Amino acid sequence: MAPPTVVSLKQDFLSAQTRLLSQPLAPSRAWRAANDNHEESLPEKAIDDALFKLNQRLQQHSRRVYAPQSTRHVAEQIDQLYWNAAVAASEGGDNGDEDGLPSEGLTIGADIASASTITSLPASWDAISAQQASAHPLEARRYADLVAQLQTLSSQRSEAAARVTRLQRMRALLAPFDDAAGVQENLVTRNGEVEAELQRMRMLLARVGGRVSQLREQGVPADDAMEVVEDVEVDERRKVGLLLERF
């Protein structure tokens, strides 16, 4: 079901008011009691006949004047008047209308889904017209609730958009890793280059450990043995550096 339009809402309001005006008329109990107690009271039959003819005329008038086509036409005229007033206010740059309402705010062509437009909405109707807010407290409270809800949803949307932008930037940074052929060879995989190099380093460490043990058995000073180990470590670091440069 499509949401109601501004014109349809105005037409529904006018139809509700015309139905109230089209209700049959009837004297109140107080009037009937006063008529019964009056010396020159009107006969009950005369009252009923007059009310019947009056209500009949009222129904004919309502069907002729308050037809659905007429109500629709009046609603469209009201909507067009508001639209023309908004256009004149946005183009003329006036400071307000006869009711004292400010002309700034939403203008013709404004993006009502924009975060800046939503932020610019007054938080309460008092900021627009304190007189109208006091005259219609329920509508003023409903406006404040809707603005608060709208601004909360706008803030959540901005946070979601920022998160999407951040994830897209991360995806762009990780794009080079989509090429599995260029990445997998640098990972520690079975029978890979890194595994072979680690195996050679383990063998080298075993040889260095055996060489140090032999030097100690031969009575070589500990400082000389450490120099041999340091030379070996420097050479291995050089090899590892060359290997990393290849990656």
Side-chain angles (χ1 to χ4, degrees):
M1 182 177 179
T5 61
V6 175
V7 175
S8 64
L9 292 175
K10 286 180 170 59
Q11 184 180 4
D12 293 341
F13 173 78
L14 293 175
S15 300
Q17 299 303 311
T18 54
R19 280 195 297 271
L20 293 177
L21 296 175
S22 304
Q23 296 296 322
L25 299 178
S28 63
R29 294 181 179 177
W31 186 90
R32 287 184 178 275
N35 180 64
D36 294 340
N37 297 329
H38 198 272
E39 295 180 356
E40 298 179 357
S41 61
L42 297 175
E44 196 73 25
K45 185 176 184 304
I47 297 175
D48 293 339
D49 292 341
L51 286 176
F52 176 78
K53 294 179 180 179
L54 176 61
N55 289 327
Q56 190 176 18
R57 291 285 186 90
L58 180 62
Q59 293 297 326
Q60 293 175 356
H61 173 78
S62 299
R63 285 194 295 268
R64 183 173 61 254
V65 178
Y66 302 140
Q69 296 83 357
S70 301
T71 306
R72 176 75 180 188
H73 181 64
V74 172
E76 292 176 352
Q77 286 183 325
I78 295 174
D79 183 68
Q80 188 63 39
L81 288 174
Y82 274 102
W83 183 267
N84 294 338
V87 171
S90 61
E91 294 178 354
D94 57 352
N95 295 325
D97 54 16
E98 296 179 355
D99 295 333
L101 300 181
S103 60
E104 61 269 19
L106 295 181
T107 57
I108 300 301
D111 185 7
I112 59 177
S114 174
S116 59
T117 303
I118 295 174
T119 305
S120 66
L121 293 175
S124 63
W125 196 257
D126 293 335
I128 302 176
S129 175
Q131 182 179 1
Q132 288 191 3
S134 59
H136 306 282
L138 295 179
E139 288 78 0
R141 188 180 304 110
R142 183 169 179 266
Y143 169 82
D145 294 341
L146 291 176
V147 169
Q149 182 181 4
L150 184 61
Q151 291 179 349
T152 300
L153 293 175
S154 177
S155 177
Q156 294 176 356
R157 183 185 61 178
S158 299
E159 294 177 358
R163 184 171 182 269
V164 170
T165 302
R166 184 171 63 255
L167 292 176
Q168 289 177 345
R169 185 168 59 252
M170 293 174 60
R171 180 179 181 181
L173 293 175
L174 295 175
F177 294 95
D178 290 340
D179 186 8
V183 177
Q184 291 297 329
E185 62 183 11
N186 297 332
L187 300 178
V188 182
T189 57
R190 184 180 296 276
N191 300 326
E193 295 185 8
V194 177
E195 183 181 6
E197 187 63 26
L198 292 175
Q199 183 64 26
R200 287 194 294 268
M201 291 181 65
R202 283 194 293 268
M203 295 175 60
L204 181 60
L205 289 175
R207 292 171 55 188
V208 171
R211 181 60 177 166
V212 171
S213 299
Q214 292 178 2
L215 292 174
R216 289 178 178 177
E217 291 177 356
Q218 295 175 4
V220 177
D223 294 340
D224 296 340
M226 292 302 298
E227 290 179 0
V228 173
V229 174
E230 291 176 357
D231 293 340
V232 173
E233 289 180 353
V234 171
D235 185 59
E236 291 306 317
R237 287 176 182 174
R238 181 181 61 80
K239 292 181 179 180
V240 172
L242 294 175
L243 179 63
L244 293 177
E245 289 179 359
R246 291 173 53 192
F247 295 152

